Amino acid sequence: MKSSVKESVLNIDNLVKSYGSVKALDGVSFQVRAGEFLALLGPNGAGKTTLFQLLTGLFVADEGKILVMGQDIRHNVVNVLAKIGVVFQQPTLDLDLTVRANLNFHARLHGMRGSKARQRISEELERLGILDSADQVCRSLSGGNRRKVELARALLHEPRILLMDEATVGLDPASRRMLVDYVYELCVTRDLAVVWTTHLVDETERARQVVVLHKGHVLARGTPAELLAHTGEKNMTDAFLSLTGNSSGESEINIQQVK
Ligand code: ATP
Protein backbone atom coordinates (compact mmCIF):
# COMPACT_ATOMS: atom_id res chain seq x y z
CA MET A 1 0.00 0.00 0.00
CA LYS A 2 1.22 3.47 -0.82
CA SER A 3 2.26 5.57 2.20
CA SER A 4 -0.13 8.45 2.99
CA VAL A 5 2.68 10.45 4.61
CA LYS A 6 3.55 13.25 2.21
CA GLU A 7 6.87 14.86 1.53
CA SER A 8 7.97 17.74 3.68
CA VAL A 9 8.11 20.76 1.37
CA LEU A 10 9.35 23.24 3.95
CA ASN A 11 11.98 22.41 6.52
CA ILE A 12 12.97 25.01 9.05
CA ASP A 13 15.89 23.96 11.16
CA ASN A 14 17.14 25.76 14.24
CA LEU A 15 16.75 29.31 12.94
CA VAL A 16 18.37 32.12 14.89
CA LYS A 17 18.00 35.81 14.04
CA SER A 18 18.98 38.75 16.23
CA TYR A 19 18.58 42.51 15.91
CA GLY A 20 21.43 43.80 18.05
CA SER A 21 20.84 42.38 21.49
CA VAL A 22 17.22 41.29 20.70
CA LYS A 23 16.94 37.63 19.71
CA ALA A 24 13.84 37.68 17.50
CA LEU A 25 14.18 33.95 16.68
CA ASP A 26 16.08 31.59 18.92
CA GLY A 27 16.31 28.05 17.58
CA VAL A 28 13.03 27.74 15.67
CA SER A 29 12.39 24.42 13.90
CA PHE A 30 9.35 22.89 12.19
CA GLN A 31 8.36 21.14 8.98
CA VAL A 32 5.35 21.51 6.69
CA ARG A 33 4.15 18.82 4.29
CA ALA A 34 2.31 19.22 1.00
CA GLY A 35 -1.40 19.74 1.65
CA GLU A 36 -0.83 20.77 5.26
CA PHE A 37 -2.13 23.93 6.96
CA LEU A 38 0.32 25.03 9.64
CA ALA A 39 -0.86 27.82 11.91
CA LEU A 40 1.91 29.86 13.48
CA LEU A 41 0.34 31.38 16.54
CA GLY A 42 2.10 34.03 18.56
CA PRO A 43 1.45 37.24 20.48
CA ASN A 44 2.95 40.56 19.34
CA GLY A 45 6.70 40.41 19.18
CA ALA A 46 6.82 36.59 19.02
CA GLY A 47 8.98 36.66 15.89
CA LYS A 48 6.40 35.81 13.20
CA THR A 49 7.26 38.70 10.89
CA THR A 50 10.98 38.03 11.28
CA LEU A 51 10.42 34.42 10.31
CA PHE A 52 8.53 35.52 7.17
CA GLN A 53 11.31 37.93 6.30
CA LEU A 54 13.74 35.01 6.38
CA LEU A 55 11.36 32.77 4.41
CA THR A 56 10.99 35.37 1.68
CA GLY A 57 14.71 36.07 1.39
CA LEU A 58 14.49 39.64 2.71
CA PHE A 59 16.91 38.82 5.52
CA VAL A 60 19.38 36.01 6.07
CA ALA A 61 19.34 33.95 9.28
CA ASP A 62 22.29 34.23 11.64
CA GLU A 63 22.17 30.47 12.14
CA GLY A 64 20.08 27.55 10.95
CA LYS A 65 18.60 26.47 7.64
CA ILE A 66 15.51 26.95 5.50
CA LEU A 67 15.00 24.16 2.97
CA VAL A 68 12.25 24.40 0.35
CA MET A 69 11.74 21.08 -1.40
CA GLY A 70 15.26 20.19 -0.38
CA GLN A 71 16.84 23.42 -1.63
CA ASP A 72 18.59 25.74 0.80
CA ILE A 73 17.27 29.31 0.43
CA ARG A 74 20.76 30.63 1.17
CA HIS A 75 22.15 29.04 -2.00
CA ASN A 76 19.08 28.96 -4.31
CA VAL A 77 17.06 32.04 -3.49
CA VAL A 78 15.58 32.48 -6.99
CA ASN A 79 14.49 28.82 -7.32
CA VAL A 80 13.12 28.82 -3.81
CA LEU A 81 11.12 32.03 -4.23
CA ALA A 82 9.54 30.61 -7.40
CA LYS A 83 7.96 27.92 -5.20
CA ILE A 84 6.60 30.34 -2.62
CA GLY A 85 3.54 32.61 -2.74
CA VAL A 86 3.17 35.31 -0.10
CA VAL A 87 0.45 37.57 1.25
CA PHE A 88 2.12 40.12 3.49
CA GLN A 89 0.60 41.68 6.57
CA GLN A 90 0.85 45.17 5.05
CA PRO A 91 -1.14 45.66 1.82
CA THR A 92 1.18 45.81 -1.18
CA LEU A 93 -1.13 46.51 -4.13
CA ASP A 94 -0.66 49.58 -6.28
CA LEU A 95 -4.04 51.15 -5.55
CA ASP A 96 -3.98 53.36 -8.64
CA LEU A 97 -3.61 50.42 -11.02
CA THR A 98 -6.34 48.02 -12.05
CA VAL A 99 -6.56 44.55 -10.57
CA ARG A 100 -5.36 43.07 -13.86
CA ALA A 101 -2.40 45.46 -14.11
CA ASN A 102 -1.31 44.57 -10.57
CA LEU A 103 -1.45 40.89 -11.39
CA ASN A 104 0.22 41.35 -14.77
CA PHE A 105 3.19 42.98 -13.10
CA HIS A 106 3.58 39.98 -10.81
CA ALA A 107 3.11 37.55 -13.73
CA ARG A 108 5.95 39.22 -15.60
CA LEU A 109 8.19 38.98 -12.54
CA HIS A 110 7.63 35.24 -12.71
CA GLY A 111 8.30 35.03 -16.44
CA MET A 112 4.65 34.73 -17.51
CA ARG A 113 3.51 36.80 -20.47
CA GLY A 114 0.77 37.12 -23.07
CA SER A 115 -2.03 34.57 -23.21
CA LYS A 116 -0.54 32.41 -20.44
CA ALA A 117 -0.55 35.37 -18.05
CA ARG A 118 -4.06 36.41 -19.10
CA GLN A 119 -5.34 32.88 -18.59
CA ARG A 120 -3.77 32.45 -15.15
CA ILE A 121 -5.03 35.86 -13.99
CA SER A 122 -8.59 35.10 -15.13
CA GLU A 123 -8.51 31.62 -13.54
CA GLU A 124 -7.48 32.89 -10.12
CA LEU A 125 -9.87 35.86 -10.14
CA GLU A 126 -12.76 33.65 -11.23
CA ARG A 127 -12.14 31.09 -8.48
CA LEU A 128 -12.14 33.92 -5.97
CA GLY A 129 -15.35 35.34 -7.44
CA ILE A 130 -13.86 38.71 -8.45
CA LEU A 131 -13.31 38.34 -12.19
CA ASP A 132 -15.91 41.10 -12.69
CA SER A 133 -13.56 43.51 -10.91
CA ALA A 134 -10.52 42.79 -13.11
CA ASP A 135 -10.60 46.19 -14.80
CA GLN A 136 -11.34 48.27 -11.72
CA VAL A 137 -8.64 50.24 -9.98
CA CYS A 138 -7.75 48.57 -6.70
CA ARG A 139 -8.58 51.70 -4.73
CA SER A 140 -12.27 51.18 -5.59
CA LEU A 141 -12.36 47.68 -4.04
CA SER A 142 -13.43 46.75 -0.52
CA GLY A 143 -10.77 45.63 1.96
CA GLY A 144 -11.93 42.03 1.57
CA ASN A 145 -11.64 42.14 -2.23
CA ARG A 146 -8.21 43.78 -2.07
CA ARG A 147 -7.06 40.84 0.03
CA LYS A 148 -8.54 38.45 -2.55
CA VAL A 149 -6.49 40.20 -5.23
CA GLU A 150 -3.38 39.75 -3.10
CA LEU A 151 -4.20 36.09 -2.69
CA ALA A 152 -4.78 35.69 -6.45
CA ARG A 153 -1.39 37.33 -7.01
CA ALA A 154 0.32 34.99 -4.52
CA LEU A 155 -1.13 31.96 -6.34
CA LEU A 156 -0.50 33.14 -9.90
CA HIS A 157 2.79 31.32 -10.42
CA GLU A 158 1.40 28.10 -8.89
CA PRO A 159 3.60 27.95 -5.79
CA ARG A 160 3.94 24.83 -3.64
CA ILE A 161 4.00 26.84 -0.42
CA LEU A 162 1.69 29.71 0.54
CA LEU A 163 2.76 32.10 3.29
CA MET A 164 -0.02 34.20 4.83
CA ASP A 165 1.19 36.80 7.34
CA GLU A 166 -1.72 37.91 9.53
CA ALA A 167 -3.70 38.15 6.31
CA THR A 168 -7.08 38.69 7.98
CA VAL A 169 -6.09 41.78 9.97
CA GLY A 170 -8.59 44.58 9.32
CA LEU A 171 -11.16 42.40 7.55
CA ASP A 172 -14.81 42.21 8.61
CA PRO A 173 -15.98 38.83 10.00
CA ALA A 174 -17.52 37.64 6.71
CA SER A 175 -14.39 38.45 4.67
CA ARG A 176 -12.20 36.88 7.34
CA ARG A 177 -14.25 33.68 7.30
CA MET A 178 -14.18 33.57 3.50
CA LEU A 179 -10.40 33.97 3.34
CA VAL A 180 -9.68 31.37 6.02
CA ASP A 181 -12.07 28.84 4.43
CA TYR A 182 -10.64 29.46 0.95
CA VAL A 183 -7.09 28.86 2.09
CA TYR A 184 -7.99 25.72 4.06
CA GLU A 185 -9.59 24.45 0.86
CA LEU A 186 -6.46 25.20 -1.19
CA CYS A 187 -4.54 22.67 0.91
CA VAL A 188 -6.94 19.98 -0.26
CA THR A 189 -7.60 21.06 -3.85
CA ARG A 190 -4.05 22.08 -4.78
CA ASP A 191 -1.98 20.13 -2.27
CA LEU A 192 -0.54 23.44 -1.09
CA ALA A 193 1.52 23.70 2.06
CA VAL A 194 0.28 26.72 3.99
CA VAL A 195 1.98 28.66 6.77
CA TRP A 196 -0.61 30.97 8.30
CA THR A 197 0.58 33.38 10.98
CA THR A 198 -2.00 34.83 13.30
CA HIS A 199 -2.73 35.86 16.82
CA LEU A 200 -6.43 35.03 16.30
CA VAL A 201 -6.81 31.66 17.92
CA ASP A 202 -10.04 30.63 16.14
CA GLU A 203 -8.18 30.63 12.81
CA THR A 204 -6.04 27.72 14.03
CA GLU A 205 -8.78 25.33 15.07
CA ARG A 206 -8.80 23.26 11.87
CA ALA A 207 -5.03 23.41 11.32
CA ARG A 208 -3.13 20.18 10.80
CA GLN A 209 -0.34 21.62 12.93
CA VAL A 210 -0.19 24.55 15.32
CA VAL A 211 3.17 26.04 16.26
CA VAL A 212 3.06 28.36 19.26
CA LEU A 213 5.83 30.94 19.03
CA HIS A 214 6.71 33.21 21.92
CA LYS A 215 9.69 35.52 22.30
CA GLY A 216 11.45 33.72 19.46
CA HIS A 217 10.98 30.21 20.89
CA VAL A 218 8.68 27.40 19.80
CA LEU A 219 6.70 26.72 22.98
CA ALA A 220 4.58 23.93 21.58
CA ARG A 221 3.86 22.14 18.35
CA GLY A 222 1.12 19.69 17.48
CA THR A 223 -2.46 19.30 16.34
CA PRO A 224 -5.10 21.44 18.09
CA ALA A 225 -6.24 18.29 19.95
CA GLU A 226 -2.69 17.61 21.12
CA LEU A 227 -2.31 21.17 22.37
CA LEU A 228 -5.55 20.90 24.31
CA ALA A 229 -4.49 17.58 25.82
CA HIS A 230 -1.05 18.93 26.65
CA THR A 231 -2.34 22.04 28.43
CA GLY A 232 -5.44 20.40 29.92
CA GLU A 233 -7.55 23.28 28.56
CA LYS A 234 -10.96 23.02 26.87
CA ASN A 235 -10.44 25.47 24.04
CA MET A 236 -7.56 26.81 21.97
CA THR A 237 -7.77 30.33 23.43
CA ASP A 238 -7.20 29.02 26.97
CA ALA A 239 -4.50 26.63 25.70
CA PHE A 240 -2.71 29.53 24.01
CA LEU A 241 -2.97 31.76 27.08
CA SER A 242 -1.78 28.96 29.32
CA LEU A 243 1.25 28.34 27.08
CA THR A 244 2.17 31.98 26.68
CA GLY A 245 1.52 33.04 30.29
CA ASN A 246 -1.52 35.19 29.50
CA SER A 247 0.35 36.56 26.50
CA SER A 248 1.83 39.39 28.52
CA GLY A 249 5.24 38.24 27.38
CA GLU A 250 6.57 38.80 30.88
CA SER A 251 6.26 35.37 32.46
CA GLU A 252 8.91 32.69 32.50
CA ILE A 253 8.00 29.81 30.18
CA ASN A 254 9.45 26.34 29.83
CA ILE A 255 9.94 25.28 26.26
CA GLN A 256 7.78 22.24 25.66
CA GLN A 257 7.43 20.17 22.57
CA VAL A 258 4.12 18.41 22.27
CA LYS A 259 5.40 16.31 19.41
P1 ATP B 1 3.79 41.53 15.59
O1 ATP B 1 2.63 40.57 15.69
O2 ATP B 1 3.72 42.62 16.61
O3 ATP B 1 4.07 42.00 14.20
P2 ATP B 1 5.86 39.51 15.40
O4 ATP B 1 5.50 38.20 16.02
O5 ATP B 1 5.71 39.63 13.94
O6 ATP B 1 5.07 40.67 16.11
P3 ATP B 1 8.57 40.48 15.03
O7 ATP B 1 8.09 41.73 14.36
O8 ATP B 1 9.24 39.45 14.21
O9 ATP B 1 7.37 39.79 15.84
O10 ATP B 1 9.53 40.93 16.22
C1 ATP B 1 10.24 40.00 17.05
C2 ATP B 1 11.15 40.79 17.99
O11 ATP B 1 12.18 41.44 17.24
C3 ATP B 1 10.44 41.90 18.76
O12 ATP B 1 11.03 41.99 20.04
C4 ATP B 1 10.74 43.15 17.93
O13 ATP B 1 10.73 44.31 18.74
C5 ATP B 1 12.14 42.85 17.41
N1 ATP B 1 12.40 43.46 16.09
C6 ATP B 1 11.74 43.20 14.96
N2 ATP B 1 12.26 43.89 13.93
C7 ATP B 1 13.28 44.64 14.45
C8 ATP B 1 14.22 45.57 13.90
N3 ATP B 1 14.23 45.87 12.60
N4 ATP B 1 15.13 46.11 14.75
C9 ATP B 1 15.14 45.79 16.06
N5 ATP B 1 14.28 44.91 16.63
C10 ATP B 1 13.37 44.35 15.85
Side-chain angles (χ1 to χ4, degrees), residues 18 42 88 101 117 125 134 137 146 214:
S18 299
F88 290 102
L125 293 178
V137 290
R146 288 182 194 179
H214 186 68

Side-chain angles (χ1 to χ4, degrees), residues 70-94:
Q71 293 192 314
D72 190 328
I73 192 168
R74 210 181 275 265
H75 308 303
N76 304 279
V77 71
V78 174
N79 284 347
V80 163
L81 292 184
K83 296 180 176 67
I84 294 178
V86 194
V87 175
F88 290 102
Q89 191 175 347
Q90 297 298 332
T92 55
L93 295 174
D94 186 327

Side-chain angles (χ1 to χ4, degrees), residues 19 22 24 43-50 89 166:
Y19 302 101
V22 178
N44 295 122
K48 305 181 297 294
T49 301
T50 300
Q89 191 175 347
E166 304 204 20

